[in-house]
Amino acid sequence: MIDMDKLVDIENSTQSKQVFWDQDIYDLELERIFGRCWLFLAHESQLEKPGDFFTTKMGEDSVIVVRHTDGSLKAFINSCTHRGNSVCTADSGNTKSFVCNYHGWVYSTDGSLVDVPLKEKCYHDEIDMASLSLPSIRVDSYRGFVFGCFDETAPSLVDFLGDWGWYLDTWMVGAGSGVELVGPPMKSILKCNWKVPAENFVGDAYHVGWTHASALEMLGGELGGLAGNRANMPFDELGIQITTRHGHGFGVIDHAAVGIHEKRDGYLKFLQDTLPSVAEKLGQPRAKLYDGHWNCTTFPNCSFLYGTNIFKVWHPRGPHEIEVWSWVIVHKDMDDETKREVVKQAARSFGTAGTLESDDGDNMVNSTRNNQGRHTRANNMDSRMAVGYEGPHPDYPGIVGSSFIGETSYRGFYRFYQEIMSADSWEAIRAKDDQWDDCFPNKDYWAKRLAAKANVGE
Ligand code: FES
Ligand SMILES: [Fe+2]
C-alpha cells in the first residue's frame, strides 16, 4: 500500500527517495498522473495541413496526433483494434490513412476503421466496423501547443494550465505572430527517473552556478557571474520563482534571456525591438519577464528554458529511464538568419550532445541510480530552501518566491504530485482549488517586502 502522505511530507518539505525508484510508485504515476493530466503532444506548426501527423508518447502509450480532413486535430492510441500492432511506425509525415502492417486494416485520420481486407469472405460481412475505431484521446491546443488527455473528467486544458497560461502568454503570444517549435525533435535516452529533470527545470537555479560552473565561465555574459557561486550577487533582486495550481512552475533571471547565446546579436535585437509591444499588449509585469531567462516545467513532464529556447518532454520508460525529446523555440517573426542562430546555440547548449545538457545528465543519472541501495532510499530528500520567503504577489499570480534561487516551485510541484497521486478523482482535486496554496502560509511576505523597499526609496 502506497502512503503518499509519508512519501511526500508537505509540512516539512521532504520527499522519500523511493519516489525516484520504486516500481509500484511508478505504476501509480502512470495511472494517476500520466493517465489524468494534459500532456504535451506536438506544436501546430508540425500539423498544418490535413493528413499531417506526429507520433509521440503519453506515459508509455504510443499516440498519434493528426490534422483530420475537416481541419480538426485528432489524437488516438497507436494500437490496432485487431491484434494490437502499431498502425503507424513513422515519426511524422502526411497521410490519407493509417494502414496496419500486420493484416492491413485501414483507419481514417479521425481514427475510424474504414477498410478490412477480405471483409466479406473472412468476416462474412458481419464485422461491426463502427465499434473498432482507434481509442480516441481528448486533444486541445493552447497558443498552438497541442496537448492530449486520457481523462474525460479532467478540467479543460485552459483550466489545467490556469495561471500558468498567463505566464506562458508572455512569450507564446507576447511578440508579433507568436512562436513555433523547430523539429524534428532531437532524441536521447537518459537513465534517470522522469521527475529528476522535471523538478530540476521547475525550479533549480541553485545548481546552475555549481553544476555548470565551467560552461558559465567559458560563456561569460549575463550568467557568467554565477560560475562557481563566486560572485557576490544580490540574489533577491535578480529574479523570482513561481508556482501555480496543478504543480506548474518556473524561475526567472531578469534581463538574461540571451545568457547562453555566444552569438546573439540578432536575437538580442529581436527582443529589444519587440519589448515595447509586449509591454503594451500584456502590461509591465510581464514585459519585465519577457527578456528574462526562464527555467520551467508544465506539470508533469514538459519542460523548457525560455531564452535558451530549448523545449523538452521527458517521456518515462519505467522508473529508471526516460526518453528526452528536445525542440527549439523560435519566434515566427524572427528573420531566417536569427532563427538559424538560435537553433544552433540552443542545440550546442541543451541539445542531445549539448555542453550544459551533459553536465545535467550525470547528476540526473546519479540522483536516480543511488536509490538502488535499499538503505539509501529509506531516507528523504530535502526541499526547504527559503521556506517562508514566498507568498502572493500584487503583480504576479500564484505563489512567488523571493529569488530565482529557491525551492518554492519544487514545493509546489511536489505538493500537487502528492495531491494527484492521493486523489481518487478530479472531483476530489477540484474540491481543493481554493486551498491549494495553504502550505505557503506567509501571505504577507511580498506586502511587507515591497513596503520596506518603498520606504527605503522615499
Ligand atoms: S493487428 Fe492490425 S490488422 Fe491485424
Ligand atoms: Fe542544469
Side-chain angles (χ1 to χ4, degrees):
M1 178 70 184
I2 294 171
D3 182 348
M4 284 311 302
D5 289 340
K6 215 166 152 203
L7 290 174
V8 178
D9 183 337
I10 305 289
E11 203 178 328
N12 294 305
S13 304
T14 61
Q15 303 84 35
S16 164
K17 291 179 177 175
Q18 288 173 263
V19 301
F20 285 169
W21 191 263
D22 289 8
Q23 182 71 45
D24 56 344
I25 295 172
Y26 174 74
D27 290 341
L28 194 64
E29 289 171 351
L30 289 183
E31 177 194 323
R32 296 204 158 175
I33 295 178
F34 291 90
R36 300 203 289 206
C37 290
W38 285 94
L39 305 171
F40 175 77
L41 302 179
H43 190 267
E44 286 194 39
S45 51
Q46 301 168 272
L47 302 161
E48 284 177 346
K49 299 186 296 299
D52 283 355
F53 70 89
F54 183 75
T55 52
T56 182
K57 297 277 206 61
M58 292 174 64
E60 295 204 39
D61 293 286
S62 175
V63 164
I64 305 169
V65 55
V66 59
R67 178 81 62 189
H68 187 44
T69 45
D70 66 1
S72 63
L73 286 168
K74 306 285 183 193
F76 27 80
I77 294 177
N78 184 13
S79 175
C80 184
T81 50
H82 180 219
R83 303 303 307 156
N85 200 20
S86 302
V87 299
C88 181
T89 52
D91 290 343
S92 62
N94 183 278
T95 190
K96 286 194 167 43
S97 56
F98 298 99
V99 183
C100 180
N101 197 50
Y102 203 170
H103 311 94
W105 284 21
V106 181
Y107 299 87
S108 152
T109 49
D110 66 358
S112 55
L113 180 63
V114 291
D115 196 19
V116 170
L118 305 173
K119 182 167 59 141
E120 297 78 12
K121 290 187 178 127
C122 298
Y123 284 93
H124 309 285
D125 226 356
E126 289 173 359
I127 186 168
D128 180 8
M129 308 249 304
S131 69
L132 291 165
S133 299
L134 296 171
S136 72
I137 295 161
R138 284 176 81 183
V139 61
D140 202 354
S141 172
Y142 187 81
R143 311 300 192 199
F145 289 71
V146 183
F147 291 73
C149 181
F150 285 120
D151 190 338
E152 290 299 326
T153 70
S156 67
L157 175 59
V158 166
D159 288 344
F160 177 71
L161 295 173
D163 287 335
W164 182 218
W166 185 88
Y167 290 103
L168 292 174
D169 285 354
T170 306
W171 59 273
M172 285 187 174
V173 294
S177 322
V179 297
E180 59 192 4
L181 294 185
V182 178
M186 298 167 264
K187 296 182 180 178
S188 57
I189 287 177
L190 202 56
K191 291 195 173 300
C192 72
N193 182 274
W194 67 271
K195 294 185 296 302
V196 184
E199 66 165 42
N200 174 276
F201 275 62
V202 85
D204 196 333
Y206 186 37
H207 82 291
V208 175
W210 192 253
T211 290
H212 302 298
S214 306
L216 295 181
E217 194 82 60
M218 179 187 76
L219 288 167
E222 292 78 359
L223 301 176
L226 296 174
N229 295 329
R230 287 195 305 270
N232 185 20
M233 299 171 86
F235 290 108
D236 275 358
E237 300 298 330
L238 283 181
I240 49 178
Q241 193 176 79
I242 290 159
T243 184
T244 64
R245 181 70 176 126
H246 302 143
H248 318 303
F250 77 118
V252 58
I253 310 177
D254 295 339
H255 312 304
V258 296
I260 65 96
H261 295 256
E262 282 183 288
K263 197 171 167 200
R264 78 256 299 264
D265 292 355
Y267 187 16
L268 192 56
K269 183 168 181 336
F270 180 86
L271 291 177
Q272 287 167 345
D273 288 351
T274 49
L275 185 58
S277 65
V278 175
E280 196 179 327
K281 192 169 174 183
L282 301 177
Q284 200 52 44
R286 279 183 284 185
K288 187 168 183 225
L289 303 177
Y290 179 67
D291 70 347
H293 185 277
W294 304 19
N295 54 274
C296 322
T297 292
T298 301
F299 191 92
N301 67 329
C302 175
S303 299
F304 62 91
L305 301 173
Y306 166 73
T308 295
N309 277 8
I310 202 81
F311 188 94
K312 289 176 180 286
V313 178
W314 323 107
H315 291 299
R317 295 161 54 107
H320 315 139
E321 190 169 284
I322 59 170
E323 249 179 70
V324 184
W325 290 19
S326 306
W327 292 259
V328 178
I329 305 163
V330 293
H331 289 269
K332 286 183 187 165
D333 295 347
M334 283 172 169
D335 60 70
D336 288 348
E337 173 58 26
T338 302
K339 282 184 187 173
R340 262 196 304 278
E341 202 51 53
V342 168
V343 170
K344 202 193 295 177
Q345 301 289 329
R348 276 167 53 146
S349 55
F350 279 98
T352 296
T355 44
L356 287 91
E357 181 86 347
S358 311
D359 295 339
D360 286 324
D362 272 353
N363 292 334
M364 288 169 188
V365 170
N366 289 328
S367 294
T368 301
R369 188 58 50 186
N370 277 343
N371 300 305
Q372 187 166 4
R374 187 181 184 79
H375 296 279
T376 304
R377 68 178 185 271
N379 297 296
N380 287 335
M381 297 180 285
D382 186 285
S383 58
R384 277 177 288 192
M385 184 188 293
V387 162
Y389 292 78
E390 60 210 352
H393 189 287
D395 294 333
Y396 296 108
I399 291 293
V400 181
S402 61
S403 164
F404 68 98
I405 296 183
E407 288 173 345
T408 301
S409 42
Y410 262 70
R411 292 189 280 278
F413 181 93
Y414 280 105
R415 199 216 65 79
F416 186 62
Y417 174 82
Q418 197 259 17
E419 181 181 0
I420 195 168
M421 287 283 278
S422 306
D424 289 333
S425 65
W426 267 105
E427 199 182 338
I429 297 167
R430 278 192 196 92
K432 292 187 180 162
D433 277 352
D434 294 336
Q435 312 144 31
W436 75 270
D437 56 359
D438 284 358
C439 62
F440 301 98
N442 192 1
K443 302 295 182 211
D444 295 336
Y445 174 75
W446 280 100
K448 283 184 183 156
R449 178 169 156 184
L450 294 171
K453 196 174 169 189
N455 286 339
V456 169
E458 275 168 8

